[in-house]
Amino acid sequence: MDSASDASEKKVAHHANVSIRDIDIAASLDSDAPLDPQAAAQIRRKIDWHLMPLMCIMYLMTFADKTTLGQSAVLGIIPGAHLTQNQFNWLGTIFYLSYLVFQYPQNLALQKFPVAKWMSINIFVWAVALLAHSACKSFGALFAVRFILGMCEGAITPGFMIVTSMFYTRAEQNKRVGYWFLMNGFAIIFLGFISFGVLHTKVHRFMPWQWLMVITGVITLVTSVLFWFYFPDSPTTAYFLTPEERTQAVQRIRSNQAGVENKQWKRDQFIETLLDPKIWVMAAFTAFAYVGNLLTNQRQLIINEFGFSPIKTTLLGCVDGVVEIVTIWLGVTLASRRSIGRGYAAALMFGPALLGTILVNKLPSHDKVGLLFSYWVSIFVFTPFAILLGWVNSIVSGHTKRTTTNAIVLSAYAIANAAGPFMWKKKYSPRNHVPWSIISACIGVSFVLILTLRFMLYSENKRRDAEKRDESYDNIYLTQELADGTQTEKRVDRAFLDLTDLQNRDFRYDL
């Protein structure tokens, strides 16, 4: 009798009521009713049809827009805007310095405001700034519009990461991130054909690079409007889901143990993020791995310096896109196999990338075809970062912690990109041995870091498997007011308590 009384007292002690402000916004839609697998699959297909096309088109255009600078290098922007090589490099750098400065404010805004609407506003401003490029005839003017592009770009990738984690299970996130990230490859092909076309324009006082800015800017402007009206902010408000389907969509992602979102900024989660070693390993990995992305703005100049004409360079650049599509698809496919996982898949991709960079450095200058194919093999270097983007929100939970993590990781990405252009000095041309050597060294460091991250997560999973399960969160209740004014209590699953991955010991890290 006494033991039963003690158990009852223990249950009462652990019974706590919470406000919807303190927990995940999806908690009120969660249901204990079992979710039929067929219904879950139908919801996923519906989400795919409404999210992925817009996400893919938007990521294609944003990547195309920010790499118009590199494409413009062979379309006459340097003489047309009276630039020096150093000033051209600064135009690449200022984009990422602006991205860095605005990265955390953008992530705070993504937490506070409706995600899709905030991204739409940034994309609209971005499109206007891109159109303004065509009117710029000096370094100062181009510097200003590139700064605006960097500011707006800060909302796109983290916004896409947040949306993907809201709508998809952790197992699904890897491929979905891969799908929208590989649109970078389609963007390169798209730019290649547009560049080939504008090279044949014969308009007095309007150069090919200006036509490129106008065409891409108009398409992005139209896309921003479509995004505002047709892209959902979260599964709890998605217009294309019925009320019942919204509940099912929430049930589907319960297994993530990460919820959907919480609009309240939490200081304890912010501090936890800064003290979490794995966050800084991911940031260091991003900084070193994305040195390879320095090829993005330089790729047209690299191929041109192999000895190919501007016309051939624009067409050969389309192959870059095909290679990037294939390599990213291969990487995320390997990462989705349980026997390999994300850590090992990312590490495997560095092998061909390293081989390509070494060959570009060592082959003789007269071997144009060999240099070109070696360069294409080096494009494998883009894939590990795509895998990491799909991994970050699978190993971090707590909405403030996720947005802070995104800001830190993408700030590291910005730092690498801001510093990188200055490796490509005129004195290193045409073979650029020093930049290629630096990229090779960074690939080696990145390989070690990604395996270190995997080992840390594997070790933590083992520790948690050995722990006794904490049941203190099983008696948390949400008080809701019904239409007739009465109040009712609903138990909240710990997946929707907005706990961090360190607080929730039921959380297991994907490897």
Side-chain angles (χ1 to χ4, degrees):
M1 190 70 181
D2 290 339
S3 60
S5 176
D6 291 342
S8 176
E9 288 177 9
K10 183 178 179 181
K11 182 176 180 180
V12 171
H14 284 155
H15 182 115
N17 289 74
V18 292
S19 164
I20 191 68
R21 289 170 52 85
D22 300 317
I23 60 177
D24 195 276
I25 64 167
S28 60
L29 291 183
D30 186 33
S31 171
D32 292 327
L35 180 60
D36 178 61
Q38 284 189 330
Q42 185 177 353
I43 293 293
R44 189 195 66 226
R45 285 192 295 270
K46 200 168 184 178
I47 290 170
D48 278 340
W49 276 110
H50 286 84
L51 260 64
M52 296 311 297
L54 270 176
M55 292 179 82
C56 289
I57 292 169
M58 181 51 65
Y59 212 75
L60 184 154
M61 289 313 303
T62 53
F63 186 82
D65 294 347
K66 69 184 178 185
T67 53
T68 47
L69 180 67
Q71 200 78 30
S72 297
V74 293
L75 298 179
I77 193 172
I78 294 177
H82 315 291
L83 304 175
T84 65
Q85 180 64 45
N86 190 53
Q87 286 175 330
F88 177 78
N89 288 342
W90 262 108
L91 292 179
T93 295
I94 191 56
F95 176 94
Y96 290 104
L97 284 178
S98 174
Y99 184 103
L100 174 63
V101 169
F102 286 96
Q103 184 52 222
Y104 191 61
Q106 286 281 27
N107 272 276
L108 286 178
L110 286 167
Q111 179 171 6
K112 186 170 183 61
F113 302 117
V115 176
K117 298 299 183 288
W118 183 253
M119 282 196 290
S120 301
I121 292 169
N122 278 273
I123 295 161
F124 182 85
V125 174
W126 167 299
V128 173
L130 189 65
L131 286 166
H133 276 61
S134 62
C136 297
K137 296 294 181 65
S138 67
F139 170 69
L142 285 169
F143 189 93
V145 290
R146 295 293 297 177
F147 183 88
I148 295 171
L149 284 189
M151 175 182 70
C152 296
E153 161 73 4
I156 309 305
T157 301
F160 274 29
M161 292 167 69
I162 290 169
V163 169
T164 307
S165 67
M166 283 180 181
F167 282 90
Y168 293 103
T169 66
R170 287 199 277 176
E172 295 163 353
Q173 288 171 28
N174 170 59
K175 282 193 174 181
R176 270 52 182 196
V177 171
Y179 293 155
W180 53 255
F181 193 86
L182 65 76
M183 297 309 292
N184 292 355
F186 284 101
I188 293 170
I189 298 169
F190 169 73
L191 280 182
F193 282 117
I194 290 182
S195 298
F196 181 76
V198 298
L199 271 172
H200 293 84
T201 56
K202 305 294 180 184
V203 179
H204 187 54
R205 293 185 179 178
F206 209 73
M207 300 181 68
W209 68 270
Q210 293 172 297
W211 276 115
L212 179 67
M213 300 299 182
V214 169
I215 293 168
T216 52
V218 168
I219 296 173
T220 305
L221 196 66
V222 173
T223 309
S224 70
V225 175
L226 292 174
F227 219 76
W228 176 275
F229 288 107
Y230 294 109
F231 200 79
D233 292 303
S234 86
T236 63
T237 58
Y239 71 92
F240 57 86
L241 297 176
T242 65
E244 182 184 2
E245 288 173 335
R246 290 173 188 173
T247 299
Q248 292 172 334
V250 167
Q251 284 180 274
R252 242 177 48 80
I253 55 93
R254 184 197 295 164
S255 61
N256 291 352
Q257 290 291 315
V260 173
E261 67 174 337
N262 182 288
K263 293 299 183 184
Q264 306 303 310
W265 186 84
K266 298 182 179 180
R267 184 173 179 271
D268 61 322
Q269 291 194 14
F270 175 78
I271 293 172
E272 180 183 306
T273 310
L274 299 182
L275 298 178
D276 191 340
K278 71 174 179 292
I279 306 302
W280 297 105
V281 173
M282 287 192 285
F285 169 81
T286 300
F288 282 103
Y290 228 70
V291 168
N293 187 57
L294 307 177
L295 302 174
T296 299
N297 275 337
Q298 303 293 331
R299 61 189 182 82
Q300 295 295 311
L301 292 176
I302 290 169
I303 296 175
N304 188 235
E305 288 175 347
F306 286 162
F308 296 97
S309 68
I311 288 286
K312 288 182 178 178
T313 297
T314 57
L315 289 176
L316 288 170
C318 295
V319 181
D320 295 14
V322 174
V323 174
E324 189 166 342
I325 292 166
V326 172
T327 56
I328 292 175
W329 176 84
L330 176 62
V332 297
T333 300
L334 290 175
S336 65
R337 295 177 67 91
R338 292 184 63 85
S339 57
I340 299 175
R342 307 185 194 196
Y344 288 149
L348 284 171
M349 294 297 104
F350 282 125
L354 182 60
L355 175 63
T357 58
I358 291 173
L359 287 174
V360 169
N361 228 349
K362 298 300 182 184
L363 287 176
S365 298
H366 62 79
D367 188 2
K368 292 179 9 180
V369 175
L371 288 169
L372 184 61
F373 274 86
S374 299
Y375 162 70
W376 284 334
V377 172
S378 73
I379 290 175
F380 270 85
V381 77
F382 297 141
T383 305
F385 182 66
I387 293 172
L388 180 73
L389 285 182
W391 200 8
V392 170
N393 285 327
S394 296
I395 55 180
V396 175
S397 69
H399 204 67
T400 299
K401 185 172 184 179
R402 278 194 289 184
T403 54
T404 307
T405 299
N406 291 345
I408 291 172
V409 170
L410 293 172
S411 292
Y413 154 89
I415 291 169
N417 279 278
F422 294 102
M423 296 191 324
W424 303 90
K425 296 182 182 294
K426 192 71 176 175
K427 64 183 179 180
Y428 299 142
S429 297
R431 289 305 305 274
N432 295 302
H433 289 297
V434 171
W436 283 106
S437 297
I438 293 173
I439 291 173
S440 297
C442 287
I443 288 173
V445 174
S446 303
F447 176 83
V448 173
L449 285 170
I450 201 68
L451 292 181
T452 300
L453 176 62
R454 190 192 184 281
F455 176 77
M456 292 169 68
L457 301 178
Y458 172 77
S459 300
E460 180 61 22
N461 281 348
K462 284 191 68 176
R463 275 193 294 272
R464 294 189 181 194
D465 288 342
E467 290 176 357
K468 183 179 179 181
R469 188 176 185 276
D470 178 11
E471 297 181 355
S472 63
Y473 290 111
D474 290 341
N475 289 305
I476 304 295
Y477 291 82
L478 171 66
T479 302
Q480 296 176 297
E481 188 170 322
L482 302 178
D484 59 4
T486 60
Q487 290 188 335
T488 182
E489 289 185 346
K490 176 182 178 181
R491 193 180 70 83
V492 182
D493 190 282
R494 70 175 63 201
F496 299 104
L497 290 175
D498 195 35
L499 300 174
T500 69
D501 54 284
L502 297 186
Q503 294 168 339
N504 183 0
R505 306 306 288 180
D506 277 353
F507 191 96
R508 293 297 182 271
Y509 298 102
D510 284 358
L511 302 178

